[in-house]
């Protein structure tokens, strides 16, 4: 999966994403430190131990650079920035039964706005899976020869090598 580049000075407006989620009873917001154990546990159950590590790194930033989607006080999605590398977006994920409602898009856009507000001009989406999604939503472009990028040589369990 290639890395992608996003121009943070050319993002779509944030409000429609947040308002759509609000109309569905979903809140998108920055996570706070006391929620770390709940969010990282959820990430581990829904996704992977690698993503738990990156989410924990995002909670090490002040303020945390983890964003959460919640419905009825339950986590249904997350996104992080500046976790594995500065200037990087990801990982991000939405619970399977909650997909298709724009929650992933809202988590992406709010996280990219946070980077913009922190003074970044560009963001890198590391190891972008759904390339077409990122291109359509935020105009991301593939960075040539970027696979495996920063993940080259990363330690893995013997069965995963």
């Amino acid at each position: 999966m290639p890395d992608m580049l996003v121009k943070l000075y050319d993002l779509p407006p944030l409000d429609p994403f947040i308002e759509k989620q609000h109309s569905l009873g979903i809140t998108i917001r920055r996570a706070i430190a006391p929620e770390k154990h709940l969010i990282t546990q959820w990430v581990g159950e829904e996704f992977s131990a690698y993503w738990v590590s990156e989410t924990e790194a995002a909670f090490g930033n002040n303020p945390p650079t983890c964003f959460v989607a919640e419905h009825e006080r339950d986590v249904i999605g997350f996104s992080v920035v500046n976790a594995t590398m500065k200037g990087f977006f990801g990982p991000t994920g939405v619970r399977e039964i909650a997909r298709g409602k724009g929650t992933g898009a809202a988590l992406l856009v709010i996280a990219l706005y946070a980077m913009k507000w922190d003074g970044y001009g560009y963001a890198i989406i590391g190891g972008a899976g759904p390339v077409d999604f990122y291109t359509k939503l935020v105009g991301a472009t593939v960075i040539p020869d970027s696979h495996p990028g920063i993940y080259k040589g990363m330690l893995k369990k013997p069965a995963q090598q």
Side-chain angles (χ1 to χ4, degrees):
M1 293 182 285
D3 293 341
M4 299 184 80
L5 186 66
V6 180
K7 300 174 195 171
L8 297 179
Y9 52 83
D10 197 21
L11 293 173
L14 176 59
D15 288 345
F17 292 94
I18 301 304
E19 290 167 5
K20 178 181 179 183
Q21 295 305 295
H22 183 59
S23 74
L24 298 171
I26 299 168
T27 301
I28 307 289
R29 62 176 175 78
R30 186 183 297 264
I32 59 173
E35 301 170 315
K36 176 184 173 185
H37 69 288
L38 296 171
I39 295 169
T40 56
Q41 178 182 347
W42 180 85
V43 169
E45 291 168 357
E46 294 286 327
F47 299 101
S48 76
Y50 293 102
W51 285 16
V52 169
S53 297
E54 291 175 296
T55 304
E56 288 176 343
F59 272 99
N61 296 323
N62 189 11
T65 55
C66 177
F67 299 86
V68 65
E70 64 174 90
H71 182 259
E72 297 178 356
R73 299 181 62 104
D74 188 30
V75 177
I76 62 165
F78 83 109
S79 64
V80 302
V81 297
N82 293 332
T84 301
M85 292 280 189
K86 287 184 178 184
F88 272 66
F89 167 84
T92 185
V94 175
R95 177 176 284 151
E96 190 170 348
I97 62 169
R99 294 178 188 162
K101 299 176 183 173
T103 304
L107 285 162
L108 167 67
V109 174
I110 197 169
L112 294 176
Y113 264 95
M115 294 179 75
K116 177 181 178 176
W117 296 329
D118 281 345
Y120 289 89
Y122 297 89
I124 297 169
I125 301 172
V131 170
D132 292 340
F133 170 78
Y134 292 123
T135 300
K136 180 180 176 186
L137 193 61
V138 294
T141 57
V142 171
I143 300 172
D145 302 319
S146 60
H147 178 75
I150 64 167
Y151 301 102
K152 183 178 182 178
M154 184 174 78
L155 296 176
K156 296 187 179 207
K157 290 181 181 179
Q160 295 177 335
Q161 294 180 350

